[in-house]
Amino acid sequence: ILEYQKRAPGEANPLDSLGEVQYMGRRFRDAAVAFDELNRKHPGFQGRAGLWKAAIAWYKAGDLAQADKRHAEW
């Protein structure tokens, strides 16, 4: 994924993929951080799906305040 980011630095997909891989690896906090970065850099990506993904990742990481905040934004 790091090579993907180097080759497509302005694209949203590398950040989304990074979050997805971290989520699948059960590194929920890292996934949430990646999805938050995705939202900052590409707020309209896939109809703001990054906010939903960040909310779920923060929830799974045990940070309900952050999860609620992202869900409310979504």
Side-chain angles (χ1 to χ4, degrees):
I1 290 176
L2 295 176
E3 185 64 31
Y4 187 12
Q5 286 178 315
K6 286 180 195 174
R7 292 176 184 244
E11 297 294 322
N13 276 331
L15 286 171
D16 185 52
S17 296
L18 178 61
E20 293 283 347
V21 167
Q22 291 171 330
Y23 188 91
M24 288 185 283
R26 304 185 60 80
R27 294 184 305 275
F28 300 120
R29 186 183 185 293
D30 293 336
V33 169
F35 291 134
D36 281 344
E37 186 176 351
L38 170 66
N39 292 321
R40 277 191 302 279
K41 291 183 175 181
H42 308 280
F45 180 70
Q46 293 183 343
R48 299 180 58 156
L51 284 170
W52 175 251
K53 292 177 180 186
I56 297 299
W58 281 118
Y59 174 79
K60 296 286 251 176
D63 192 331
L64 301 183
Q66 292 296 331
D68 286 345
K69 182 178 175 184
R70 298 317 180 282
H71 185 263
E73 290 178 52
W74 179 69

